[in-house]
Amino acid sequence: QIRWILAHAVGVFDAQGQLVGQRGTCRNITDRKEAHVRMSYLATRDALTELPNRVLFNDRLHQGLVAARRGGEGVAVMFIDLDRFKIINDTLGHQIGDLLLKEVATRMLACIRKGDTLARLGGDEFVALLEGLQQAEDAAQVAEKIVRTLSRPYEIGGHTLRTSCSIGIAGFPDDASDARSLMQNADTAMYHAKERGRNNYQFFSNEM
């Protein structure tokens, strides 16, 4: 175990002026240190799911684009919105809704690679950053897995719940060359997925 100790001390000298020791106080500040680390962690995390929040996601997106330009690889942003979540939230209450969001986050995390990023923007909106892509089909495989996984029933608080998701995908460098445009285009594609009947994913196109 690691313990953080705050020490205050002064030297103790003998008659000849030689340092023979120190006298002072020590205080265990491990709890304070751990609380500070926790606060720093939560500043970049969603309070409910502890996924990265918008601040941390934007930082990773900018870093991902820098790496993609340098390495000549692709990056995809996926906007993920739950279908009809508001109905569940309004009829069963926010507590059940929050438990559902946490389970959704857990399921989606299992669908992406360890080096990718899943964040919650707020409400029932999530966004994923997929890095190091060689082709668009790589993002499609992840989207298909998420759609299939989230459509399975949920057992929460004595209720059997069903929801699905609509996903919009935009890729660098084909669909956008900067972070802001990439996010906007993925958001546009997500709304197009909802218009196509929900429970599906759509790639961004200029026609949108």
Side-chain angles (χ1 to χ4, degrees):
Q1 295 180 331
I2 295 176
R3 290 288 178 263
W4 290 86
I5 305 297
L6 179 63
H8 294 280
V10 295
V12 177
F13 301 89
D14 62 14
Q16 286 73 42
Q18 298 296 314
L19 181 66
V20 295
Q22 291 182 325
R23 181 178 64 240
T25 61
C26 292
R27 185 191 312 167
N28 184 346
I29 60 167
T30 304
D31 289 346
R32 184 197 308 178
K33 194 74 174 180
E34 290 177 346
H36 178 74
V37 171
R38 180 69 176 167
M39 288 177 60
S40 299
Y41 173 83
L42 292 177
T44 58
R45 298 282 167 167
D46 171 59
L48 176 64
T49 63
E50 293 200 8
L51 292 175
N53 61 15
R54 187 185 298 269
V55 173
L56 181 54
F57 180 83
N58 287 337
D59 181 64
R60 290 187 179 177
L61 176 56
H62 284 287
Q63 292 182 23
L65 290 176
V66 170
R69 293 187 184 99
R70 185 167 55 240
E73 295 179 322
V75 168
V77 167
M78 299 171 46
F79 253 88
I80 307 158
D81 190 84
L82 295 186
D83 299 325
R84 302 180 182 89
F85 172 76
K86 189 176 186 298
I87 296 175
I88 296 174
N89 216 29
D90 290 347
T91 56
L92 298 179
H94 292 285
Q95 183 178 6
I96 297 296
D98 286 349
L99 292 174
L100 176 60
L101 289 173
K102 293 174 73 171
E103 177 61 25
V104 164
T106 298
R107 291 190 184 186
M108 283 197 289
L109 277 175
C111 295
I112 65 174
R113 299 168 302 177
K114 189 174 182 179
D116 294 329
T117 300
L118 175 67
R120 181 179 177 226
L121 301 183
D124 60 345
E125 288 187 336
F126 297 82
V127 61
L129 171 64
L130 310 180
E131 300 185 56
L133 302 181
Q134 302 299 321
Q135 52 191 358
E137 286 74 15
D138 296 338
Q141 290 178 2
V142 176
E144 288 174 0
K145 191 174 182 180
I146 291 176
V147 169
R148 185 170 60 251
T149 299
L150 296 192
S151 64
R152 297 200 313 265
Y154 300 80
E155 297 294 333
I156 296 177
H159 303 277
T160 300
L161 307 178
R162 290 184 178 274
T163 187
S164 58
C165 68
S166 300
I167 301 177
I169 308 172
F172 168 88
D174 294 338
D175 299 324
S177 59
D178 62 88
R180 181 178 179 181
S181 299
L182 202 58
M183 294 281 282
Q184 288 178 340
N185 292 347
D187 192 32
T188 298
M190 183 271 291
Y191 280 103
H192 192 70
K194 284 189 176 294
E195 293 172 359
R196 295 288 295 270
R198 308 171 190 267
N199 196 30
N200 73 98
Y201 66 91
Q202 297 291 323
F203 281 90
F204 175 79
S205 65
N206 289 325
E207 290 73 17
M208 293 181 184

